[in-house]
Amino acid sequence: MIILDTNVLIAPPPAWPAGAVLGSSIISLAELQFGIRSSATEEIRRNRVHRLAVWRELMDWILFDEHAAESYGELAARVKRLRPQHARSKDIMIAAQAHSLGIPLMTRNPKDFELIQDVVEILSVAG
């Protein structure tokens, strides 16, 4: 399985890795719900609602469990040393889920994960 970062759900790549099983964090679902409720226009809101409806049919949503919480503590402590303001981010929580499951995380913003890429496999989507 590959965990998709929220930004990949918003702008999917033109093709997925062969045979990939995709999942995403329940935290990304929360971020998408926030995006719907904070849409600048009704048209944007409708588009976001539609996109989420499609993902809800296709996606396995991974819950944030006790193992992810343990991984988060480890990863956030590493990040805090060099980028304290980022240690408590949702990105690190999503990465913790990938870390706890031993699976890769696909993102459009690999810079968000550069301080932990030695312990979490980060797959970058160009564009």
Side-chain angles (χ1 to χ4, degrees):
M1 179 178 282
I2 298 170
I3 292 183
L4 305 179
D5 194 8
T6 309
N7 54 51
V8 176
L9 297 173
I10 291 168
W16 300 102
V21 175
L22 307 175
S24 193
S25 171
I26 200 73
I27 295 165
S28 291
L29 178 59
E31 289 185 305
L32 294 172
Q33 290 287 357
F34 171 69
I36 288 169
R37 285 163 177 75
S38 62
S39 299
T41 68
E42 183 59 27
E43 180 180 0
I44 292 170
R45 189 191 72 74
R46 276 194 307 274
N47 289 338
R48 289 175 177 175
V49 166
H50 174 72
R51 183 183 313 119
L52 180 54
V54 170
W55 282 122
R56 287 189 117 156
E57 291 296 317
L58 299 173
M59 191 59 53
D60 288 329
W61 298 100
I62 301 163
L63 300 179
F64 196 89
D65 63 11
E66 187 174 339
H67 300 289
E70 290 172 12
S71 285
Y72 170 76
E74 177 185 336
L75 298 180
R78 291 172 62 126
V79 170
K80 183 180 181 205
R81 290 183 210 123
L82 296 174
R83 204 181 312 166
Q85 70 282 5
H86 190 63
R88 295 177 187 251
S89 74
K90 290 181 280 302
D91 289 331
I92 301 305
M93 293 180 81
I94 293 168
Q97 289 177 285
H99 181 257
S100 72
L101 296 168
I103 60 177
L105 168 65
M106 182 179 282
T107 185
R108 288 189 168 279
N109 297 322
K111 185 168 175 45
D112 291 342
F113 305 99
E114 66 187 357
L115 297 177
I116 56 169
Q117 66 186 357
D118 61 323
V119 293
V120 178
E121 181 181 358
I122 305 301
L123 306 176
S124 180
V125 176

